[in-house]
Amino acid sequence: MIKLPRAFLSHSAKDKDLVREVAAALGRAAVIFDSFEFSSGDDLKDAILKGIARSDIFVLFASQAAFTSSWVDFEIDTAMEAKTKQALSRVVTFIVDPQLPLESIPEWMRATLVVRRNEPGLIAIEIRRHINQRLAEKTPTYFVGRRNEIEQALDTISEFTDPNFRPPLVVYGLRGIGRRSLVQVIARDSLSFSTILPIAVQPGDLLPEAYIRLSESVSPGGISDFPGFLALQSAKSREDVVGEMLEVLRTSCNAGVLPVFVDEGAFAQSNGVLRPDFESLYDAISSDREVDAVIVSARRLYGGGGSDLPCLRVPELDSASTQHLLRIAGRDVGVVFDRADIGAVATYSRGYPPAVRFAIDEARTRGVSQVVSNQRALVNFSAELFLRQLADESSLNEGMTAMLQLLSAFSPLPLSVIAKYCGMSNQQAVDDMDRLLDLAFTLPEGLNFRITEPLRDAAYRAFGGLTVGSGRLADLLDEYLRDTPDDDARLSLGQTIFRASLLSGTGADSKFAVGFAADLIQVATQSYHDQDYDLAIKYGSSALEARPDNVDVRRYVAQALIRREKYQEAEEHIAVLIGLGELKEAFYIRGFAARRKREYSEAVEAYRKSLAYGRAGVAIHRELGSCYFELGDLATAEAHIRQAEERSPHNRYIVDLRCTIALRLGDLETAERTLEVLERVDPSGFADHRRSTFEQARGQPGPALSYARAANAKIAHPPFEVAANLANCEIEAGRAEDALTSLASIQKRFGPANHDAQTGLRCKYELRFGTVEAAEGLWHSLRDHGTPVHIGLRLAILNKKIASSGLSEKEQSEREHLLQQQSLAELERTERMIGSILSRSD
């Protein structure tokens, strides 16, 4: 395993109970503690020498009793010698005896860190901070260009002249932009806190869950029964829970540790106004003169009624600061930019620190000239593309790719679990993780490892989505916690077991599994994105029983129901959203339902209402562009597509929509041009699907089938349009048996959803390989006979009847009418591409 920095705990026997709590909070992997390490038959002197030799940090628990112990004296002398030889990186002394004067500490140790503290949880936090600092030295961080923000923070804080009213500062901005780094500097330089204590609060959490997360952050292992503790706190009044949380926060602040709530979507409603639970906590902190706190959020937050809270926005870095960051970060890894190059890269990375890191990693891998010439990648900050390029060039081996894929789905994880899951030796896991740490693709979190935030979604897409064996991971984590019950991340690991078990369908029967409403929300959301709509409905509904006002999960459940064509059930959720006043979301979902039913006028009306009530972003303009195209209003469709492009240049969904529209119009030149862009910005496998439809439009069934198979192989959970296109390509290529297998697989996987598309494909199959009577029967069962594709199918049926039995007078008239509507070439083209020209939104 990676050699984690370990702390040698030196103490007297009389202080053993306190030290045992500290050791348990840190875990066996982090400390050398006699009860963990030394056996009764060991030579104690030899054991101490070996223990300090294997340590990176020496920790003395100073008390009157300690200085009367000959063994503690021996340990101090050994540590002094090791420090002189630079075998120890640091020495920390905790005075745990309130009566012990500072002068009792050996003079050489007084020159190191000495802290008066006797709370086991807070001592463990401080030791863990030193361990993490040593781990983080593998991936240096840089703090530049934030002078204005620091001054703004000081100005805001200085406005609170009443000592009895000090509201928490809200620091907000994009993830990865440096919010927590800024808070660390403010805490140290402006508020006199030695360090910060991050407490991540997840979507769906209320005060009881936040209390658990706070308690585990301060004293890992302090709660033995998470479900029981949650039930106990949930039964209390809001005021009582807030009061108990204040006690824990007060302890932290008194020890010089600033609590920082990292809001991942729990604190506020969709309009940014604090939820009642967290408004109560915010007000209580504001009125307690012994408690300080900071909230880190992705968006600005407001008090009750929309009142302003003291907020500080962390923007992108300015050009000069970005260049400085490029210069110093590049220097440390041997990358040198000249003046012209550094200006170009700074401009195109737009002051976003993750994009700067991406540019440096690419420059180190491929050279500065390649970065400068490939500025488009920086504009889009395509970390996903970068990952795939590294994998294709073998800069990332299979083990690293497997690690990133696993961590993109579940983070953090112990390295031993990662190694077992990926089927690699301990040494290979060490080497591969070292490389990922060096690239800043992963980071240590406590004694475990997680993927960096900007790469989480990118790795998920780049390496095939959720192809992780969730059940196997849950079993490995259960085994790990049985062997290491004192891991200080047991809460987050227990939640991972819970989520992995649900995703695998096995059920969370591990005694270590811990499930909050936030976990049900996360499983529902993840299932929706993986196109497992039944699972999204199941666990989303469970989440809504606990959190009925959660707008995001209700939207995912409603959209999953719509994709399963359960429109009435979806409308019930829309009605609830209207009752909650969430009109922009309600009308967006109603528009989504109407578009799925091909009721484009109704969809436009609903989408326009959603816009009027404040819905913004790429998705709604993409949806409106698609609807207006279907209605034949090409000018308005183009206007909305352009608005979407302005918000997100080269967005993969917009590029795909442009390509789809060009194919529908038969404009192969434009389709090929946009397809080339799509292949640059979307390496996920969907570009292979769209290339397949392009080849189909060109009348090239062989290449079309090859690309269709590639798309279905690369995409972990091929959506309906990808699976339908494969079946169509097999029909076009004359692969009757393969096509029938694909049609059966589509019916099994998607059930009655996409009825007309499935029926149309079976109709086409019967036309090519079966009987015209069967094809005609299927055609009559279509719900909408007026689409171009279905008109093309009808013409194909009539043409086949001419060649066999001839047409009745009525059928002959129908055929002539169809040919008046569209040219024969157009009808044949649309029939050829049935199932192939659905947009990505469909």
Side-chain angles (χ1 to χ4, degrees):
M1 296 284 99
I2 283 178
K3 184 180 182 299
L4 293 170
R6 302 185 77 186
F8 185 97
L9 307 184
S10 176
H11 63 285
S12 79
K14 291 185 177 179
D15 298 318
K16 185 170 289 294
D17 288 345
L18 180 147
V19 179
R20 184 181 288 110
E21 287 189 54
V22 173
L26 290 167
R28 292 175 180 268
V31 299
I32 292 179
F33 173 53
D34 56 10
S35 295
F36 291 169
E37 298 280 331
F38 305 159
S39 300
S40 57
D42 288 345
D43 177 271
L44 192 53
K45 182 176 180 180
D46 186 54
I48 290 171
L49 290 171
K50 289 180 179 178
I52 293 179
R54 291 188 294 116
S55 302
D56 192 63
I57 302 166
F58 181 81
V59 178
L60 172 65
F61 291 79
S63 66
Q64 296 284 1
F67 291 123
T68 62
S69 167
S70 58
W71 288 116
V72 171
D73 286 342
F74 177 70
E75 290 166 352
I76 291 173
D77 290 342
T78 305
M80 181 174 65
E81 183 179 352
K83 188 74 170 69
T84 302
K85 294 178 179 178
Q86 298 185 332
L88 286 172
S89 70
R90 59 199 68 187
V91 173
V92 183
T93 300
F94 293 100
I95 300 178
V96 296
D97 182 348
Q99 307 304 318
L100 186 73
L102 180 62
E103 292 73 21
S104 299
I105 309 296
E107 184 176 356
W108 74 271
M109 296 186 78
R110 278 181 256 154
T112 63
L113 180 62
V114 180
V115 182
R116 284 192 179 274
R117 190 166 299 166
N118 56 15
E119 305 90 348
L122 295 175
I123 292 173
I125 289 172
E126 182 68 19
I127 297 173
R128 192 181 302 111
R129 179 173 72 88
H130 291 289
I131 291 172
N132 289 345
Q133 284 176 347
R134 292 291 292 153
L135 277 171
E137 287 169 8
K138 287 178 173 286
T139 53
T141 57
Y142 309 95
F143 187 79
V144 300
R146 294 301 184 196
R147 180 176 299 174
N148 288 339
E149 286 73 39
I150 293 171
E151 290 177 353
Q152 290 174 31
L154 281 172
D155 289 343
T156 302
I157 294 168
S158 64
E159 291 176 1
F160 307 127
T161 55
D162 182 353
N164 296 314
F165 181 74
R166 294 182 301 189
L169 179 67
V170 177
V171 176
Y172 71 99
L174 294 172
R175 291 187 179 186
I177 202 78
R179 300 168 302 174
R180 278 195 270 186
S181 297
L182 176 63
V183 171
Q184 176 72 69
V185 173
I186 293 170
R188 184 190 64 218
D189 297 345
S190 304
L191 299 175
S192 300
F193 286 99
S194 60
T195 187
I196 63 173
L197 176 67
I199 306 114
V201 190
Q202 299 174 357
D205 283 353
L206 293 177
L207 284 179
E209 291 87 353
Y211 186 12
I212 289 177
R213 300 192 193 283
L214 171 64
S215 297
E216 277 295 291
S217 297
V218 171
S219 299
I223 301 173
S224 58
D225 176 12
F226 290 116
F229 189 84
L230 179 62
L232 177 66
Q233 298 304 319
S234 299
K236 294 179 180 178
S237 69
R238 182 183 296 164
E239 292 74 18
D240 287 345
V241 178
V242 167
E244 292 181 28
M245 291 181 73
L246 283 180
E247 286 296 325
V248 180
L249 292 169
R250 191 175 297 117
T251 301
S252 177
C253 291
N254 289 340
V257 180
L258 176 66
V260 177
F261 289 99
V262 182
D263 175 31
E264 298 180 357
F267 264 65
Q269 304 167 63
S270 60
N271 58 4
V273 175
L274 291 176
R275 297 183 187 278
D277 268 34
F278 293 105
E279 185 175 16
S280 296
L281 178 62
Y282 186 93
D283 290 343
I285 293 172
S286 302
S287 302
D288 192 313
R289 62 190 308 166
E290 293 184 66
V291 176
D292 284 298
V294 170
I295 300 170
V296 169
S297 177
R299 58 179 174 171
R300 182 165 189 147
L301 302 180
Y302 300 89
S307 60
D308 285 336
L309 301 180
C311 288
L312 173 66
R313 179 175 175 266
V314 183
E316 295 81 358
L317 294 170
D318 59 31
S319 178
S321 298
T322 304
Q323 290 187 40
H324 184 48
L325 179 58
L326 279 164
R327 190 176 296 109
I328 63 173
R331 178 195 62 206
D332 285 352
V333 295
V335 174
V336 178
F337 296 93
D338 65 28
R339 180 172 296 181
D341 289 344
I342 203 169
V345 175
T347 297
Y348 282 93
S349 59
R350 297 181 296 176
Y352 185 45
V356 171
R357 183 75 212 194
F358 166 68
I360 291 170
D361 285 340
E362 189 170 22
R364 182 168 52 168
T365 305
R366 261 187 290 280
V368 174
S369 60
Q370 176 67 19
V371 175
V372 175
S373 65
N374 190 26
Q375 292 168 347
R376 183 189 306 277
L378 293 178
V379 170
N380 294 299
F381 181 40
S382 183
E384 175 184 348
L385 181 60
F386 180 46
L387 285 173
R388 289 183 65 85
Q389 287 173 335
L390 289 179
D392 291 344
E393 296 169 2
S394 300
S395 296
L396 293 179
N397 62 31
E398 290 184 7
M400 296 175 203
T401 301
M403 283 181 167
L404 289 174
Q405 184 183 33
L406 175 62
L407 291 172
S408 72
F410 299 101
S411 276
L413 291 174
L415 190 57
S416 61
V417 170
I418 296 171
K420 287 181 180 178
Y421 180 88
C422 296
M424 57 179 64
S425 68
N426 287 351
Q427 188 56 51
Q428 182 187 349
V430 168
D431 294 342
D432 288 351
M433 185 59 75
D434 272 340
R435 174 62 176 155
L436 294 176
L437 287 166
D438 183 51
L439 287 169
F441 288 178
T442 58
L443 290 173
E445 182 166 302
L447 302 177
N448 300 319
F449 296 89
R450 65 177 174 86
I451 196 167
T452 53
E453 196 63 43
L455 287 186
R456 179 187 288 271
D457 291 340
Y460 180 83
R461 294 189 301 264
F463 301 135
L466 186 61
T467 54
V468 171
S470 302
R472 172 166 163 72
L473 177 66
D475 290 342
L476 288 173
L477 281 173
D478 183 85
E479 177 186 315
Y480 171 80
L481 286 176
R482 284 201 305 271
D483 295 338
T484 319
D486 51 3
D487 188 305
D488 59 0
R490 65 193 184 96
L491 173 57
S492 66
L493 296 180
Q495 290 182 268
T496 298
I497 292 175
F498 179 82
R499 293 194 303 271
S501 299
L502 294 189
L503 287 166
S504 71
T506 60
D509 57 358
S510 166
K511 73 174 185 177
F512 299 107
V514 182
F516 296 157
D519 298 295
L520 290 170
I521 291 171
Q522 188 172 334
V523 169
T525 302
Q526 190 165 314
S527 299
Y528 182 86
H529 290 308
D530 289 331
Q531 290 96 42
D532 193 334
Y533 302 121
D534 293 331
L535 211 58
I537 293 166
K538 177 181 178 180
Y539 292 120
S541 299
S542 297
L544 287 173
E545 290 178 11
R547 300 290 184 266
D549 65 340
N550 190 288
V551 174
D552 289 336
V553 74
R554 193 172 292 279
R555 174 164 56 85
Y556 283 122
V557 170
Q559 290 185 182
L561 288 165
I562 289 166
R563 288 191 178 271
R564 284 289 183 247
E565 299 184 0
K566 298 179 179 181
Y567 296 107
Q568 186 54 48
E569 292 179 46
E571 185 62 34
E572 293 171 7
H573 288 282
I574 293 171
V576 173
L577 288 170
I578 291 174
L580 292 171
E582 298 289 348
L583 300 186
K584 66 180 180 181
E585 297 297 340
F587 286 112
Y588 180 85
I589 299 168
R590 188 167 282 169
F592 180 74
R595 189 179 64 75
R596 295 284 299 179
K597 291 188 285 187
R598 303 187 182 278
E599 297 170 352
Y600 298 113
S601 295
E602 290 81 356
V604 165
E605 181 182 356
Y607 282 141
R608 287 175 63 84
K609 283 184 178 179
S610 179
L611 269 176
Y613 282 114
R615 177 85 186 205
V618 171
I620 192 163
H621 289 289
R622 179 193 71 217
E623 297 290 292
L624 280 165
S626 177
C627 290
Y628 277 114
F629 170 77
E630 297 290 351
L631 292 169
D633 188 344
L634 299 185
T636 307
E638 176 65 21
H640 281 286
I641 292 172
R642 286 193 180 278
Q643 286 190 65
E645 287 175 331
E646 288 173 4
R647 287 163 171 78
S648 181
H650 294 108
N651 177 282
R652 69 185 70 197
Y653 298 100
I654 300 302
V655 177
D656 180 66
L657 178 59
R658 278 201 177 280
C659 189
T660 303
I661 289 173
L663 288 172
R664 294 269 292 275
L665 294 174
D667 183 357
L668 297 187
E669 182 179 346
T670 299
E672 185 168 29
R673 189 167 60 250
T674 55
L675 180 56
E676 290 172 355
V677 176
L678 183 65
E679 288 171 335
R680 286 200 304 271
V681 301
D682 185 356
S684 67
F686 201 92
D688 289 306
H689 162 70
R690 191 55 69 211
R691 173 65 71 176
S692 171
T693 67
F694 173 76
E695 294 295 339
Q696 199 75 276
R698 291 177 60 225
Q700 301 293 323
L705 178 57
S706 295
Y707 282 112
R709 285 174 171 168
N712 276 268
K714 288 181 182 178
I715 301 172
H717 300 276
F720 177 82
E721 64 268 31
V722 175
N725 179 60
L726 175 61
N728 182 59
C729 288
E730 289 166 341
I731 294 170
E732 285 288 328
R735 305 294 184 96
E737 187 174 338
D738 291 343
L740 195 60
T741 300
S742 293
L743 289 171
S745 174
I746 289 170
Q747 185 177 39
K748 180 179 180 180
R749 182 175 170 209
F750 296 97
N754 301 286
H755 170 272
D756 274 14
Q758 290 195 55
T759 303
L761 282 168
R762 289 187 174 276
C763 176
K764 180 172 179 174
Y765 176 88
E766 289 297 331
L767 272 172
R768 297 292 173 91
F769 309 115
T771 66
V772 70
E773 291 81 12
E776 190 166 31
L778 286 164
W779 189 86
H780 283 300
S781 71
L782 291 168
R783 295 170 182 170
D784 183 357
H785 294 99
T787 67
V789 168
H790 296 158
I791 292 171
L793 274 176
R794 181 58 178 163
L795 181 63
I797 290 170
L798 295 175
N799 287 341
K800 192 161 186 177
K801 291 183 76 172
I802 287 178
S804 57
S805 59
L807 299 178
S808 67
E809 185 176 334
K810 182 178 179 182
E811 288 172 333
Q812 183 63 43
S813 175
E814 181 184 5
R815 182 174 182 273
E816 291 173 1
H817 176 69
L818 292 178
L819 290 173
Q820 288 174 0
Q821 286 184 304
Q822 285 182 283
S823 70
L824 182 60
E826 287 178 310
L827 287 170
E828 288 178 345
R829 178 175 60 80
T830 55
E831 187 271 340
R832 184 168 69 244
M833 295 185 66
I834 182 173
S836 302
I837 51 177
L838 295 170
S839 77
R840 196 161 189 171
S841 301
D842 294 322

